Amino acid sequence: MFIHIEPQSDTPIYAQVRNGIMEGIVRGELTPGDILPSVRSLAGDLGVNMHTVNKSYHELESKGVIKIVPKSGAVICSPSEEKIPQHRYNQISEELHPVLVESLVLGMSEKEITELVSSIILNVKGE
């Protein structure tokens, strides 16, 4: 698993770790049932504080991406075959809303926004 940390980024390190793990799942580098490295091990590999990785793992657990099993570690969950829960859909919508509004205010067209989103998806998937 390759997670790249940018210490100078405006994105907090815990979020970079969380996002790196989710991108690994999207690219198929991590699959359901895989066990993530221990908090201590990943923190050491990345050169970050253990509490930073712990926060990332707990956020991933709250999003249903991993399950933390005491004494076994953090396990990648299988994606639900059911439709995404409405509350999670609403959260994602709330997070995207201000970014899309800003894009429109800055003069991006709907087509440009759609192309940008498609480009990001392809990039994350490694296509």
Side-chain angles (χ1 to χ4, degrees), residues 86-98:
Q86 189 64 42
H87 77 279
R88 195 60 194 116
Y89 181 90
N90 292 343
Q91 286 175 328
I92 292 169
S93 176
E94 287 175 24
E95 291 171 13
L96 283 173
H97 184 89

Side-chain angles (χ1 to χ4, degrees), residues 68-74:
I68 298 174
V69 182
K71 299 189 181 181
S72 294

Side-chain angles (χ1 to χ4, degrees), residues 26-40:
V26 170
R27 287 191 300 268
E29 297 167 2
L30 297 167
T31 58
D34 284 352
I35 299 173
L36 293 173
S38 70
V39 168
R40 183 182 308 272

Side-chain angles (χ1 to χ4, degrees), residues 1-49:
M1 175 175 60
F2 180 75
I3 297 175
H4 183 72
I5 301 297
E6 290 286 339
Q8 308 306 324
S9 174
D10 289 339
T11 304
I13 293 173
Y14 79 89
Q16 292 181 50
V17 173
R18 178 198 64 212
N19 295 344
I21 292 169
M22 288 195 293
E23 286 185 22
I25 294 168
V26 170
R27 287 191 300 268
E29 297 167 2
L30 297 167
T31 58
D34 284 352
I35 299 173
L36 293 173
S38 70
V39 168
R40 183 182 308 272
S41 174
L42 186 57
D45 290 347
L46 297 175
V48 300
N49 189 292

